[in-house]
Amino acid sequence: MTGLKTTPSTSNPKEHQPHSLWTIFEHLFLPGKDSRSIWIILGVITLIGFFLRMLDLNQSIAYDEAYTFIHFASREFKHILADYSAPNNHIFHTILVGIAYRLFGGPPWVLRLPAFLAGILMIPVMYITARRFFSAHQSLAAAGLAAITPLFVNYSVNGRGYTMLVLFALLLANFAGILVTQKSKPALLAFVLTSALGFYTIPIFLYPMAGISLWVVVTYLFAKESWQDKRRKLVTFLGACLAAGLLTFVLYSPVIFFGSGLSSLVGNEIVRSLSWSTFLENLDPRIIKAWNKWMIGISPIVEYLFLGGFLMSLLFYRKVSNQKLPLQVFLALAVALLLVLQRVSPLPRIWIYLEAFYLMFAAAGLIWLAEFSLHKTAGPARSDRILSFAIPLVFLSAWTSILIARAQNPVYSDLDLLPEAYAADYLADHLQPEDTIVATGPVDIQTAYYLSLHGISFDQFYKRDHPVEIRNALVILRKNSKYKTPESVVDFFKLDQTLDLSTAELVFEYASVQIYSVPVR
C-alpha cells in the first residue's frame, strides 16, 4: 500500500554497501518496494508511449537530422569524435547513430533509433526518479505524462540528442536522491558516469548538472549533522563533480587537441555571450517561446491543472514528497545564475529537460491532492485501489483520444515524403558524370540525405569552401524559401559568371521544389 510520502528503502546511512550486481542494481534503480501491479501499470504506460512514438518514427527527415547525418554520423568515427564545427554534433548521440547506420543502413528510423530508445527509456526512468521522492501513484502519473506529452513524443522521433539529455538528467536526479540520504559508492560512481555522458551528448548538460549538484550541496549544508560530517560529504561530492569534469575533458580531448579546437566548444555561436541589452531584450521572448513549446498539444485547462499541481508540490513539498529541500527551486536557481553569468540566448529545445521535471512535480502535486482527498473520504486502502485503477484508465483514455485526433487531422492523413525526397529520386535516375548539384540550405542537406539512400555522396554538391570546376549545374531550389529562383541560388555561390542562366531548363518540379539544368557559359 502506498502512502502520501515515501522514504527510500535504502535510507540508512550506516547500511552496508551493496556488493552483488543485483543488489547494486536494486540499490540504484528500485527506490521503493512496490507491488507487481504497480510494475504492470508502468509497463502498460510504457507501451502507450512506445506506440505513440512508433507512429512517427519513419516520417520525413528534418533539416537538423539530415545535417547531423551528412556532416557527422555518416563519416568516419575519427571525424565524429574530433569535429565540433557545428553544435549539431551531439557527439555521444552521433556515435550511436553512426553505429546504427553501419548496422542497418540509412532509413529515417535508423537515424532516430538512439533518440527513440532514449525516449522510451525516459518513461520508466521518470518513474524511478520520481519514486525516489514520491509515492508509487505520484510516480506512475509522472511516467504517464512522460509517455504522452507531445513534446517528448516529437523529440523521441527526432534524430538529435535531446531525449538522451532528458534521460541523463532524470538519472542524475535519481542518483542524487540516493546521495542526499546516505553514503553510496555505487551512486557516486553512477553520478560521475552519468554526468560525463550527459556532457558528452550535449554540453548544455551543464544546466541540469548545476541545478542537481547545487541541490545536493545545500542539502548537505542544512543537514542536522556535525560540521565535520558535512565537510566530509561535501569534499566527497565535490570530488565526484571534479571527476565528472575530468572524464568529460578526456572524452572531448579529440575535439580539443586534434579536431576543431576548444573554441568550437566554448566559443561557438550558441554559447557566445551577448551584450547586456541584447541579452535582456531576448530573455522574455525566449522564455515565452520555451513555455509555448512545452505546452504544444496541451489544452489550456490541462495547462492550468499542471501549473496548480506544480505550485502545490512547491508550497507543500514537505507533505507532497520526502525531499529535505525542494529540487525544483535549485533547478530554476541554477538556470538563472548560469544565464546571468553566460548572457546567452538559448533555444527553447535546450530547456526540454526542465519540462520533464516540471511535469514530474506537477503530477506529484495533483496526485498528492487526490490521495489526500480520497484518504479523507474513502480511507487509505480503498483510495489506493481507486488510484491504481484510475491512473492507467486516464492515460489509456488520453492515448485513445490522441489516436482519434490523429486519424481526424488532415495534417497526418495527408502526410507524405518531402519534395526533396522526390527530387532525389529524379536525380538518382538522371544524374550524369558531368553534373554538379548546386543548392542552398535546407534543400541541399535534405536532398543529400535522400540521395545517400541511392548511394550518391554529398561530394556531388558544389560547396563554396571547396569550389570545383563545373561542366553542367543542376540547380535545386524551393519556391517558398529565400533562394527561390535559379538567379538567387547562382548569385549566392557567385557562379553568375560561370553558368549561362539564359539557357537554364526546368527539368523537374514537385510541390515547391524545382530543379534546373544550367550549362556553363
Side-chain angles (χ1 to χ4, degrees):
M1 186 174 73
T2 59
L4 294 182
K5 298 196 295 182
T6 62
T7 301
S9 58
T10 56
S11 60
N12 183 0
K14 298 186 181 297
E15 190 174 341
H16 293 297
Q17 294 292 325
H19 295 292
S20 73
L21 288 177
W22 171 250
T23 54
I24 290 174
F25 178 85
E26 189 176 32
H27 170 68
L28 293 177
F29 300 108
L30 300 177
K33 300 294 184 181
D34 296 325
S35 65
R36 182 180 297 178
S37 63
I38 293 294
W39 292 106
I40 291 173
I41 294 170
L42 179 60
V44 170
I45 288 172
T46 304
L47 279 175
I48 289 173
F50 173 81
F51 284 117
L52 282 177
R53 287 153 175 78
M54 277 292 295
L55 292 173
D56 292 329
L57 188 56
N58 248 331
Q59 66 185 352
S60 296
I61 207 76
Y63 175 79
D64 281 341
E65 295 177 288
Y67 190 99
T68 298
F69 174 74
I70 292 296
H71 287 290
F72 301 108
S74 63
R75 303 182 70 178
E76 295 180 1
F77 280 107
K78 64 180 182 181
H79 182 83
I80 297 174
L81 296 173
D83 186 2
Y84 202 78
S85 56
N88 284 68
N89 189 12
H90 301 165
I91 296 181
F92 184 46
H93 169 263
T94 307
I95 291 170
L96 298 179
V97 174
I99 293 171
Y101 165 62
R102 285 157 178 80
L103 290 175
F104 306 114
W109 71 267
V110 175
L111 275 58
R112 294 166 176 151
L113 191 58
F116 175 79
L117 294 176
I120 298 298
L121 286 173
M122 198 172 78
I123 301 167
V125 169
M126 174 72 98
Y127 175 84
I128 290 166
T129 301
R131 192 67 178 95
R132 193 66 62 185
F133 311 110
F134 307 112
S135 73
H137 291 134
Q138 289 170 304
S139 304
L140 283 175
L145 291 180
I148 68 170
T149 297
L151 187 68
F152 296 148
V153 174
N154 292 341
Y155 273 97
S156 296
V157 292
N158 186 319
R160 310 294 307 291
Y162 293 105
T163 51
M164 290 177 61
L165 176 77
V166 177
L167 180 65
F168 288 134
L170 290 171
L171 284 171
L172 200 70
N174 171 58
F175 302 137
I178 299 173
L179 294 175
V180 296
T181 61
Q182 63 175 296
K183 297 177 182 178
S184 170
K185 291 180 181 178
L188 207 61
L189 178 61
F191 190 94
V192 170
L193 294 176
T194 302
S195 299
L197 289 177
F199 278 115
Y200 199 44
T201 302
I202 316 181
I204 58 168
F205 195 74
L206 175 66
Y207 291 110
M209 167 72 171
I212 294 166
S213 299
L214 183 62
W215 175 69
V216 173
V217 167
V218 178
T219 301
Y220 284 160
L221 291 174
F222 277 80
K224 295 179 180 179
E225 298 175 334
S226 67
W227 175 245
Q228 186 177 5
D229 288 338
K230 292 180 183 180
R231 184 175 60 184
R232 188 181 301 113
K233 286 183 177 180
L234 284 170
V235 169
T236 301
F237 179 72
L238 293 176
C241 292
L242 178 61
L246 291 174
L247 181 55
T248 300
F249 179 80
V250 171
L251 292 172
Y252 276 108
S253 59
V255 173
I256 297 169
F257 297 114
F258 311 109
S260 52
L262 181 62
S263 61
S264 66
L265 290 168
V266 300
N268 63 68
E269 59 186 19
I270 301 297
V271 297
R272 192 175 297 125
S273 295
L274 305 172
S275 66
W276 277 106
S277 59
T278 305
F279 169 69
L280 294 174
E281 285 172 7
N282 281 276
L283 192 57
D284 280 351
R286 290 288 189 178
I287 292 172
I288 293 169
K289 191 173 182 179
W291 176 264
N292 291 337
K293 197 173 184 69
W294 285 11
M295 295 297 122
I296 287 176
I298 297 174
S299 70
I301 293 175
V302 176
E303 186 177 334
Y304 287 122
L305 276 175
F306 287 166
L307 181 59
F310 178 81
L311 291 175
M312 278 189 286
S313 75
L314 178 61
L315 297 174
F316 304 104
Y317 76 92
R318 288 281 194 176
K319 297 180 181 294
V320 174
S321 71
N322 60 23
Q323 297 178 98
K324 295 178 181 179
L325 294 172
L327 173 59
Q328 57 268 55
V329 169
F330 294 94
L331 289 170
L333 183 59
V335 168
L337 290 173
L338 288 171
L339 282 181
V340 170
L341 290 172
Q342 294 178 309
R343 297 199 314 277
V344 295
S345 183
L347 298 170
R349 58 178 174 260
I350 287 174
W351 311 120
I352 184 175
Y353 80 92
L354 275 179
E355 181 173 13
F357 286 101
Y358 174 77
L359 292 178
M360 178 196 296
F361 288 106
L366 290 172
I367 298 301
W368 169 76
L369 183 62
E371 286 180 328
F372 181 81
S373 302
L374 285 170
H375 278 217
K376 293 292 185 181
T377 57
R382 185 173 294 178
S383 68
D384 282 349
R385 288 195 294 270
I386 292 171
L387 286 171
S388 294
F389 175 77
I391 289 173
L393 182 62
V394 166
F395 288 105
L396 281 169
S397 300
W399 179 51
T400 304
S401 299
I402 292 170
L403 293 181
I404 293 171
R406 284 178 61 94
Q408 296 175 343
N409 191 334
V411 171
Y412 291 104
S413 60
D414 295 337
L415 201 62
D416 202 349
L417 287 173
L418 285 171
E420 285 83 356
Y422 293 103
D425 290 340
Y426 171 84
L427 290 170
D429 291 334
H430 296 85
L431 199 64
Q432 299 299 316
E434 66 270 16
D435 291 332
T436 300
I437 302 171
V438 180
T440 60
V443 180
D444 57 345
I445 298 301
Q446 289 173 307
T447 306
Y449 163 72
Y450 286 105
L451 280 173
S452 72
L453 301 181
H454 295 280
I456 298 173
S457 168
F458 187 53
D459 293 336
Q460 198 77 37
F461 284 74
Y462 184 85
K463 305 173 185 68
R464 286 201 298 183
D465 54 347
H466 294 91
V468 295
E469 182 182 354
I470 298 177
R471 288 184 285 169
N472 186 72
L474 293 175
V475 177
I476 313 176
L477 57 89
R478 260 187 181 269
K479 293 185 292 185
N480 56 357
S481 70
K482 179 180 179 181
Y483 301 98
K484 56 188 177 183
T485 64
E487 290 79 9
S488 62
V489 176
V490 169
D491 183 63
F492 175 82
F493 287 101
K494 295 181 170 52
L495 293 172
D496 49 310
Q497 299 301 315
T498 303
L499 300 177
D500 185 4
L501 285 169
S502 65
T503 58
E505 178 187 359
L506 179 65
V507 295
F508 172 86
E509 183 171 17
Y510 178 81
S512 59
V513 170
Q514 295 177 329
I515 301 178
Y516 287 84
S517 179
V518 186
V520 295
R521 290 184 182 276

